[in-house]
Amino acid sequence: MTKLPHRIVLVGPPGAGKGTQAVILSQQLGIPHISTGDMLREAVSAGSELGQQVKAVLDSGELVSDEILVKIVRERLTNSDCQFGFLLDGFPRTVQQAEALTEMLKELARPLTHLVKIIVPQEVLIARIISRAQEAGRSDDTLEVVSRRVQVYWEKTAPVIKYYQLLSVSGGEIKMVEVDGIGTVEEVSARLMGAL
Ligand code: AMP
C-alpha cells in the first residue's frame, strides 16, 4: 500500500503548544517541519540581510510582511524534500498568505490535505503564556509582546481558518481537523495522530 502524502497546515493561538506538536507530528509522519518562526529566528541569529530586516518586527510581536513570508515559503516548498508532504507551522498567518499558498500549491499540483487546529480555552492559554513569560526563553516571550501576539492571532490569523472552511465546503479536498490541546504533550500528540 502506498502512503498518502500529508500536506498539513497546523494552526493554533500562542500558547497552544503548536510548535512542540509540530515537531512530533512531522517526525511521526516523516515529513519536513516548516516553521516560518524558526526560519525567521535563524535569519536573525545568522545576521543575514533578511534577519536584519525582520528583527525589530519579531521582537514587537507584529507580523512580518506577507511579501517576505510568501517568498521564503515558496522557496522552501519547491525544495525536493517537500515532494512527499510537509507540515507548515506558523504559515499562513493572514488570509493573503493563505491565498498565495493556495496559488503556489496549485502550480505545484500538490493541494493541502489537512488543516489541523489545536484548541485550548482562553484561561488555559493565559496561564501557559504567563509561565512561559516568566521563563522568558525568547526575546519575544515577554508578557507584553506575547499579549500583542495573541491579539494579532485573533485579528489576522483566526480569519485564515474561516478561509479554509469556505474552501472546503466549496469543493476543496482539504480535511478540517480540530484537536483538544489540553493535557500532556503525549496525550495531545496521540490525539493528533488519531485525528489524521
Ligand atoms: P512563531 O514562532 O510562529 O510564533 O513566529 C514568531 C514571529 O515570527 C511572529 O510573531 C512573527 O513576527 C513572525 N512570523 C512567523 N511566521 C509568520 C508569518 N507567517 N507571517 C508573518 N510573520 C510571521
Side-chain angles (χ1 to χ4, degrees), residues 58 69 83 85 93 104 113 120 162 166 180 191:
L58 250 67
L69 265 294
Q83 207 176 341
R93 279 268 228 301
M104 65 178 102
T113 58
V120 177
K162 268 258 146 61
L166 289 173
D180 177 3
R191 251 176 243 149

Side-chain angles (χ1 to χ4, degrees), residues 2 6 10 23 25 27-28 53 56 58 69 84-85 89 96 121 124 129 136 142 146 163 170 176 183:
T2 52
H6 288 91
L10 186 63
V23 170
L25 195 59
Q27 279 169 359
Q28 286 177 332
Q53 223 176 331
L58 250 67
L69 265 294
F84 304 109
D89 163 14
Q96 265 180 315
V124 177
I129 286 166
T142 64
V146 178
Y163 167 85
S170 68
M176 307 290 287

Side-chain angles (χ1 to χ4, degrees), residues 56-130:
V57 183
L58 250 67
D59 286 344
S60 71
E62 301 295 329
L63 294 181
V64 173
S65 78
D66 290 335
E67 194 190 343
I68 290 178
L69 265 294
V70 169
K71 185 165 173 274
I72 64 175
V73 170
R74 183 188 296 277
E75 274 170 23
R76 185 65 190 84
L77 285 178
T78 47
N79 204 313
S80 62
D81 67 339
C82 294
Q83 207 176 341
F84 304 109
F86 53 79
L87 183 130
L88 278 169
D89 163 14
F91 183 94
R93 279 268 228 301
T94 66
V95 171
Q96 265 180 315
Q97 291 178 13
E99 288 168 348
L101 179 64
T102 300
E103 278 311 305
M104 65 178 102
L105 293 178
K106 201 180 273 176
E107 283 168 30
L108 294 167
R110 287 179 205 148
L112 286 182
T113 58
H114 300 79
L115 179 92
V116 181
K117 183 180 166 192
I118 301 181
I119 297 177
V120 177
Q122 195 68 25
E123 58 276 18
V124 177
L125 287 177
I126 292 167
R128 285 187 188 175
I129 286 166
I130 290 171

